[in-house]
């Protein structure tokens, strides 16, 4: 069983940047797929980004502003968020599963069987 822990959330102004981090414990997670999802108040949890088999996939809403990256030595996954907008406000969740996905299937949260507790990101205008 993998335990995921997110960090790096906070309150910022529109146009600012934040970097979220996801660390895994319990079992090394140097392979497989790791993704980020977010859930705004009253809305469904939606896909943000994923890294799988060396590929990176992004939701259209964040493409060009967010970057997902995996640290080779630690396995920590980062989500670098730039040019933040008020609509980026949400709880951000790290998720992982021991397999690979395509640009389409990575967006399906049902593939992910390990989830963190989430970290709040609030962007003010």
């Amino acid at each position: 069983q993998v335990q995921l822990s997110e960090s790096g959330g906070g309150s910022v102004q529109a146009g600012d940047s934040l970097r979220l981090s996801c660390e895994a414990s319990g079992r090394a997670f140097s392979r497989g797929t790791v993704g980020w999802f977010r859930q705004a108040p009253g809305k469904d949890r939606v896909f943000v980004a994923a890294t799988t088999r060396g590929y990176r996939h992004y939701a259209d809403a964040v493409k060009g502003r967010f970057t997902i990256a995996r640290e080779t030595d630690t396995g920590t996954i980062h989500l670098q968020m730039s040019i933040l907008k008020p609509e980026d406000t949400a709880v951000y969740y790290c998720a992982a599963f021991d397999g690979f996905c395509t640009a389409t299937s990575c967006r399906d949260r049902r593939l992910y069987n390990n989830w963190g507790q989430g970290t709040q990101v609030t962007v003010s205008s």
Side-chain angles (χ1 to χ4, degrees), residues 39-53:
Q39 187 166 16
K43 297 188 177 181
D44 290 336
R45 192 172 300 187
V46 298
F47 171 77
V48 175
T51 178
T52 181
R53 214 201 299 257

Side-chain angles (χ1 to χ4, degrees), residues 53-123:
R53 214 201 299 257
Y55 295 96
R56 305 175 188 180
H57 304 295
Y58 299 94
D60 289 344
V62 307
K63 198 172 296 183
R65 299 188 298 121
F66 290 12
T67 302
I68 187 171
R70 188 196 303 255
E71 286 188 16
T72 304
D73 53 347
T74 66
T76 301
I77 302 295
H78 299 291
L79 183 69
Q80 179 66 47
M81 307 185 295
S82 303
I83 317 175
L84 283 162
K85 304 176 181 180
E87 51 263 45
D88 294 319
T89 294
V91 177
Y92 284 70
Y93 297 90
C94 176
F97 71 95
D98 196 10
F100 302 107
C101 51
T102 66
T104 299
S105 63
C106 281
R107 301 166 184 265
D108 189 347
R109 64 185 187 188
R110 295 171 298 180
L111 290 180
Y112 300 79
N113 56 357
N114 295 280
W115 290 83
Q117 293 301 305
T119 184
Q120 176 71 46
V121 172
T122 303
V123 184

